Amino acid sequence: MAASTYRFGAFTLNASTRELCRDGARIVLPPRAFACLLMLVEQRDRAVGRDELIAALWRHGAASDVQLGQLVVQCRRALDDDGQRQWAIRTVSGFGYQWAAATVAEEAAHAAPAAVADETASATTTQAVAVDAPPRRRRHAAVFAAAVVALAVVAIAMVAMRERRTPVVATDPARLVVLPLATGDGEESWLRLGGMDLIAERLRRGGFVVQPSEQTVGQLRALDEAGAASAQDPATAWHRLAPAATWVEGSIEHRQARWFAQVRATRDGSPESVASHDDATAIGALRGAADRLVAALGRVPAAAVEAETVAETLQRAQAALLANQIDTARSILLADARLAHDAPRLRLQLAEVDIRAGRLDDARTALEALLAAPDGDTFFRAQVFAARGLVAVRSGEYADAGRWFGDGIQALGDIPEPQLRGRLHNGRAVSRTSLEDYPAALLDYGIARDAFQRAGDEGGVARVDGNIGAMELLRAHPAQAEPYLVAAIARFETLGLVQERIGELQLLFEARRAQLDNARAWEAMDASWAQRARVPSPYSRLSMRLYRAQQLLQQGRHNEAGELLDDPANDGRPADVAENERIRLLRAELAWRRGDGAAALAELAPVPAGALASADSDLIRADVELLRARIERSLGRRDAPPADLDVDAIAAAPNARTPLRLAAAANRAWAADRAEAAARRFGEAFALAQTQGVPLTLLRVAQDYVDFLLAQGRVADAAVISNQVALWASVDYDAALVQLAVARAQGRREAWAAAFETARRLAGERAIPRALGVPPP
């Protein structure tokens, strides 16, 4: 007979009424999260495996470890637990979870628990009850998928700094959307977006969930491009985008030496709330009107600590950022004389602008100076740590980035600021992903996603989703990554966030290419490239050029790829080891494809041998090692393997890059006439590639393995290997060459002729090797 009530600490869990309470106050949990919590409590004498939990909680047992991890995060959040404390739910590494809190079971009853509802995804429910709030709006809960410009960077949101404040919990689960302000004729242009952002921030400080301004501006651009805003009143078009939201519209104008601001909140079926205020300054009028609206909606306005003059500079710069005018934002900040003296928030915003502009050294210097200065405002320090972590990510310093984000999480402590918490945990998750600490990364992603949902930041949710898609790519799971990336792309498109969507399209290109789904990979890359004119960041533009050059090389479009790789703008790239090596890799591949092996080796010469600490950077290093070994063999070089490359250790600790490194070692052994060692390494590489199941990796190993077997006279063995990549010969040039080589060695003229025609169709500007162009005798 199961107990119906369980008590632990300040909490009571009632199985009969399906309620979780803390000190008598009910905490709302989604049905599946409640069922998970109840199952762990009831089975508290043992650890419960992940498979068992999934089978019990999801219909037909159809769920992933990611979804289960998110569910556990919801349960922990409800109990004020987390992945570090684990006072209530303990993670059993490699197995599952176990209830850890001392528990009293009482009031035995016969009632069976109700069935778990079949939820659409692991959506998070905000636990606090809103005062005078609009009805709840069910949030989108897309599957995970958003990423990283070059695997990690695109993922982290850039949130400009506003006024200093004491954070307030955003308890209202219904989203408020603040529209750009109407301004009088001749008024300063910054007020349209800067005033919108200030009002949004004041409402957020009053405890409301407010959509980030960057998303609102993105949606406006999307409506303009679709012609929806011009075909009807803009507000009407926007209301159709999110009919459940509360819309805040406002105006500001200057007359008779004073500023007059008015704001009104409307929601279908609810009375309109209107507030106005006049002041000698625009900032004062906007703040006053926003705070009066907060009061009208039943909340207490937050105190404003930042001086109005500093706040105006911040909002002017923020307006420029929202309009993608990065240079203008920088000029506005530099023009304020207080920047160098008594306004650390101005210096912080300038540092964030520098990050967006790719001026990483300037940003790093400014942020470290801010951290060195004594400042008792822990919330502000957490913001600085978040920006410093982002600089480390964009510099490829992932271990350092993890420490900076961790320091920010510690500085933030229990301050209820969900958007910043989401940024910090998302950033640390990116770092942990790159260092291949996937369980810890998954925990951070879950916390970040929950925090962004609480903040009403759907763009942040999509960024987390995309980052998990990037993680699946690093884990050699491109098929699992694809649906996550597709979902994130759709989300960013809805939100009008162009640069983020471009980054996800680049990762989708990688995922589809890894599956040798070439036509759809090119489609994703073409869609990304078509948007290049809308990307203001030089860092992102560089990434776009390199992804495009990669595509063109794969299609045999050498001249176009060369133009992109020779672009002078590439020389202004940031100090990112992986990005620099990527440029060299692409240039070397182009030279080799054009028949200049010596030039290709010269391009790769500055790249050291051996693995890098971060997985995404090391993917490029592994590609360099394989290409260099292939070229050296083709040129008859008999160099020994690099002294710092322990091939046996690599084989003993496999990861996604291991098949490529083993193939590189096999090529070097082959070039040194050590056929037995080469055969062993090729066999190991191919077996591991089969286990990982990534078609592109399998093909890349098969190319060299088949050549080696044919050179050894082992035609039958070569045919066995070639048959395992024959499926892709009709769509991929390299796969077609493998079939061509084997058909010629077998003396099968018809098969050779068919393979030759296929290779010629796919070649582009590539020259089919002369030996393969001769029919078999």
Side-chain angles (χ1 to χ4, degrees):
M1 183 181 301
S4 65
T5 302
Y6 301 90
R7 302 186 187 278
F8 41 91
F11 296 90
T12 302
L13 184 72
N14 192 313
S16 298
T17 62
R18 302 191 69 77
E19 288 184 339
L20 173 67
C21 296
R22 178 175 185 171
D23 294 327
R26 185 170 178 264
I27 297 173
V28 179
L29 270 179
R32 184 175 287 134
F34 184 91
C36 177
L37 186 60
L38 180 60
M39 183 174 179
L40 291 173
V41 172
E42 289 180 338
Q43 303 297 323
R44 59 193 177 280
D45 293 334
R46 66 182 181 91
V48 184
R50 291 187 178 89
D51 291 343
E52 183 180 350
L53 283 164
I54 289 172
L57 298 171
W58 274 271
R59 186 175 297 173
H60 309 305
S64 66
D65 286 352
V66 170
Q67 290 171 291
L68 178 60
Q70 281 193 294
L71 199 67
V72 171
V73 167
Q74 290 183 42
C75 295
R76 283 175 167 158
R77 281 284 194 181
L79 302 174
D80 289 336
D81 193 10
D82 56 40
Q84 283 73 43
R85 296 171 61 201
Q86 297 193 14
W87 75 268
I89 301 175
R90 181 173 64 88
T91 300
V92 181
S93 181
F95 180 73
Y97 303 93
Q98 184 172 14
W99 185 253
T103 304
V104 176
E106 56 188 42
E107 299 176 15
H110 295 279
V116 178
D118 188 18
E119 299 168 326
T120 57
S122 52
T124 304
T125 302
T126 305
Q127 298 166 16
V129 178
V131 179
D132 221 11
R136 291 177 179 265
R137 174 179 177 270
R138 185 179 180 86
R139 290 227 183 282
H140 172 78
V143 287
F144 276 14
V148 215
V149 112
L151 276 178
V153 180
V154 169
I156 303 172
M158 218 32 202
V159 181
M161 296 301 104
R162 278 72 163 196
E163 53 188 293
R164 181 174 180 171
R165 69 264 192 184
T166 302
V168 179
V169 183
T171 56
D172 188 348
R175 183 177 44 153
L176 274 67
V177 179
V178 183
L179 302 180
L181 300 186
T183 58
D185 293 339
E187 304 297 3
E188 297 185 69
S189 60
W190 72 270
L191 287 169
R192 181 172 179 270
L193 297 181
M196 171 196 75
D197 188 67
L198 186 148
I199 290 170
E201 189 63 15
R202 296 304 299 165
L203 290 169
R204 193 174 291 118
R205 300 277 59 77
F208 294 98
V209 174
V210 184
Q211 175 171 287
S213 298
E214 62 174 359
Q215 291 179 202
T216 303
V217 172
Q219 287 174 311
L220 176 61
R221 291 195 192 103
L223 285 170
D224 286 342
E225 289 168 5
S230 59
Q232 56 189 304
D233 177 66
T236 302
W238 285 35
H239 278 282
R240 290 183 177 178
L241 276 179
T246 295
W247 297 86
V248 178
E249 301 168 77
S251 62
I252 183 167
E253 60 178 327
H254 190 243
R255 60 178 188 268
Q256 298 177 353
R258 293 188 69 79
W259 288 92
F260 292 82
Q262 183 181 77
V263 288
R264 60 184 181 276
T266 58
R267 178 185 171 92
D268 290 345
S270 301
E272 183 180 76
S273 297
V274 181
S276 59
H277 188 71
D278 66 280
D279 192 86
T281 66
I283 291 290
L286 290 167
R287 273 185 182 167
D291 289 348
R292 289 185 177 187
L293 182 62
V294 168
L297 294 174
R299 303 294 177 83
V300 178
V305 179
E306 199 72 74
E308 285 189 9
T309 51
V310 171
E312 180 171 329
T313 299
L314 290 169
Q315 292 305 148
R316 284 176 178 269
Q318 178 65 1
L321 288 175
L322 290 170
N324 273 334
Q325 298 169 354
I326 297 175
D327 292 340
T328 301
R330 196 168 191 275
S331 297
I332 290 169
L333 293 166
L334 289 172
D336 194 313
R338 288 172 296 263
L339 182 66
H341 302 291
D342 59 352
R345 276 142 195 87
L346 290 176
R347 298 201 297 275
L348 175 55
Q349 189 171 27
L350 178 60
E352 293 209 334
V353 170
D354 282 341
I355 294 172
R356 289 183 62 170
R359 304 167 64 100
L360 300 183
D361 290 339
D362 291 343
R364 182 184 293 109
T365 300
L367 293 169
E368 291 181 359
L370 285 171
L371 289 171
D375 192 323
D377 186 344
T378 57
F379 176 70
F380 176 72
R381 288 186 67 81
Q383 292 174 310
V384 179
F385 281 127
R388 184 61 184 87
L390 182 55
V391 171
V393 166
R394 292 200 168 181
S395 301
E397 302 161 352
Y398 293 102
D400 290 341
R403 287 191 289 272
W404 290 117
F405 287 121
D407 288 345
I409 292 168
Q410 185 174 1
L412 189 61
D414 295 329
I415 296 174
E417 182 63 41
Q419 194 168 56
L420 180 56
R421 188 174 304 281
R423 290 179 66 199
L424 290 164
H425 280 281
N426 187 42
R428 189 169 69 175
V430 167
S431 169
R432 287 173 163 177
T433 295
S434 185
L435 299 176
E436 299 182 275
D437 187 358
Y438 299 126
L442 185 60
L443 176 62
D444 269 326
Y445 283 134
I447 295 172
R449 198 174 196 278
D450 176 68
F452 284 133
Q453 284 180 319
R454 290 170 181 266
D457 186 351
E458 296 182 12
V461 173
R463 289 181 180 99
V464 172
D465 291 351
N467 285 343
I468 295 187
M471 182 178 73
E472 293 299 335
L473 274 176
L474 280 179
R475 297 174 69 184
H477 299 156
Q480 290 91 322
E482 181 170 352
Y484 301 160
L485 298 171
V486 169
I489 289 165
R491 199 71 179 155
F492 284 133
E493 185 170 16
T494 299
L495 296 172
L497 298 178
V498 176
Q499 188 159 311
E500 288 83 348
R501 179 175 176 269
I502 287 171
E504 301 310 318
L505 283 167
Q506 291 169 347
L507 288 180
L508 182 60
F509 157 70
E510 293 272 29
R512 289 174 173 172
R513 172 63 181 160
Q515 299 172 75
L516 292 176
D517 188 356
N518 289 346
R520 294 173 69 240
W522 311 152
E523 180 183 272
M525 191 63 240
D526 289 344
S528 173
W529 186 244
Q531 300 294 309
R532 62 191 180 279
R534 302 176 63 187
V535 176
S537 165
Y539 185 94
S540 298
R541 289 197 298 269
L542 168 62
S543 180
M544 292 188 75
R545 284 193 296 275
L546 298 186
Y547 271 106
R548 180 65 168 181
Q550 181 180 335
Q551 175 201 8
L552 295 171
L553 285 173
Q554 292 164 0
Q555 293 176 308
R557 297 160 64 180
H558 292 166
N559 292 333
E560 293 174 78
E563 289 177 5
L564 288 177
L565 293 174
D566 291 339
D567 191 322
N570 296 343
D571 296 330
R573 56 189 177 273
D576 183 332
V577 172
E579 208 75 309
N580 292 337
E581 293 186 1
R582 188 176 173 210
I583 293 173
R584 291 192 172 278
L585 172 65
L586 292 171
R587 286 174 172 166
E589 184 176 348
L590 176 60
W592 188 45
R593 294 282 191 181
R594 285 173 165 172
D596 193 345
L601 284 182
E603 190 68 56
L604 295 178
V607 181
L612 290 172
S614 59
D616 48 342
S617 301
D618 194 46
L619 276 172
I620 299 167
R621 182 65 62 83
D623 284 340
V624 167
E625 291 176 14
L626 178 57
L627 180 59
R628 183 154 44 197
R630 284 175 167 176
I631 298 171
E632 288 171 348
R633 175 177 60 79
S634 71
L635 296 178
R637 296 271 298 271
R638 300 170 61 86
D639 299 342
D644 60 347
L645 193 63
D646 187 341
V647 181
D648 289 324
I650 290 171
N655 57 33
R657 285 91 64 204
T658 301
L660 305 183
R661 286 204 161 92
L662 291 175
N667 273 288
R668 287 202 169 90
W670 181 12
D673 292 332
R674 294 185 288 119
E676 183 178 343
R680 183 175 71 257
R681 293 306 183 196
F682 273 130
E684 292 171 346
F686 195 73
L688 182 56
Q690 286 178 306
T691 299
Q692 292 180 351
V694 180
L696 180 58
T697 303
L698 194 68
L699 172 59
R700 296 179 70 186
V701 175
Q703 286 177 266
D704 296 339
Y705 197 7
V706 165
D707 285 347
F708 169 77
L709 292 171
L710 291 177
Q712 300 297 308
R714 298 167 57 183
V715 177
D717 291 338
V720 171
I721 300 300
S722 71
N723 282 332
Q724 297 190 51
V725 297
L727 175 65
W728 301 290
S730 63
V731 296
D732 188 87
Y733 174 73
D734 291 326
L737 287 187
V738 171
Q739 306 310 307
L740 181 63
V742 171
R744 189 178 187 284
Q746 291 174 324
R748 300 165 58 215
R749 292 182 67 92
E750 290 185 6
W752 171 87
F756 184 81
E757 286 303 314
T758 299
R760 187 164 61 179
R761 172 175 57 84
L762 297 170
E765 297 166 24
R766 291 169 287 203
I768 296 175
R770 184 173 302 175
L772 297 182
V774 179

